[in-house]
């Protein structure tokens, strides 16, 4: 599997940078397993938001449901790989986390 890498710098003097960095540091509060997952979801959600404002209609509930399903699938895969018992998280909890994250954008 090939990987591409980007470096992101957060400047201490910037309030917006500090707020974003703080959210990135607490990725689990938004239902993600890593900062990478949070960043990818944020970029894709922002992109879809931009498309929506340019005339393409998007259902925020449907998007949140898709994100929550993806988060649940990734969580189960990670737990299976680590050979830990799979703790099922209610779909509503995952959806709430996804919506919470999207509202913070």
């Amino acid at each position: 599997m090939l990987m591409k890498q980007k470096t992101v710098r957060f400047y201490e003097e910037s309030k917006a940078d500090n707020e974003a960095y703080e959210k990135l540091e607490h990725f689990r509060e938004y239902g993600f397993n890593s900062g990478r997952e949070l960043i990818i979801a944020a970029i894709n959600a922002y992109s879809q938001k931009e498309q929506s404002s340019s005339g393409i209609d998007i259902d925020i509930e449907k998007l949140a449901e898709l994100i929550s399903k993806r988060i649940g699938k990734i969580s189960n895969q990670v737990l299976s790989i680590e050979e830990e018992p799979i703790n099922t998280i209610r779909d509503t909890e995952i959806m709430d986390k996804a919506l919470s994250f999207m509202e913070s954008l």
Side-chain angles (χ1 to χ4, degrees):
M1 175 186 264
L2 295 175
M3 177 188 75
K4 295 181 181 182
Q5 184 172 339
K6 274 289 186 202
T7 300
V8 179
R9 291 182 178 89
F10 297 88
Y11 294 99
E12 291 181 6
E13 302 82 29
S14 170
K15 181 180 177 184
D17 284 16
N18 285 320
E19 289 173 359
Y21 186 79
E22 189 67 26
K23 289 175 183 169
L24 183 59
E25 285 289 297
H26 296 98
F27 57 85
R28 290 195 191 281
E29 291 178 17
Y30 299 103
F32 295 96
N33 291 315
S34 68
R36 178 190 153 280
E37 286 180 13
L38 185 146
I39 289 171
I40 290 169
I43 291 170
N44 289 334
Y46 181 79
S47 174
Q48 290 178 355
K49 179 181 168 185
E50 287 296 307
Q51 289 174 357
S52 177
S53 66
S54 65
I56 298 172
D57 190 28
I58 186 166
D59 180 6
I60 195 75
E61 291 292 326
K62 188 172 185 175
L63 177 60
E65 186 175 338
L66 291 172
I67 291 171
S68 68
K69 284 181 182 177
R70 176 76 172 139
I71 291 168
K73 184 177 178 183
I74 290 170
S75 295
N76 288 338
Q77 288 173 349
V78 169
L79 289 173
S80 294
I81 290 170
E82 295 175 356
E83 298 181 2
E84 294 179 8
I86 297 175
N87 296 325
T88 56
I89 300 173
R90 292 189 336 234
D91 287 341
T92 54
E93 290 176 12
I94 295 173
M95 183 179 275
D96 289 343
K97 290 178 182 179
L99 282 171
S100 171
F101 168 71
M102 290 170 49
E103 289 172 357
S104 72
L105 295 177

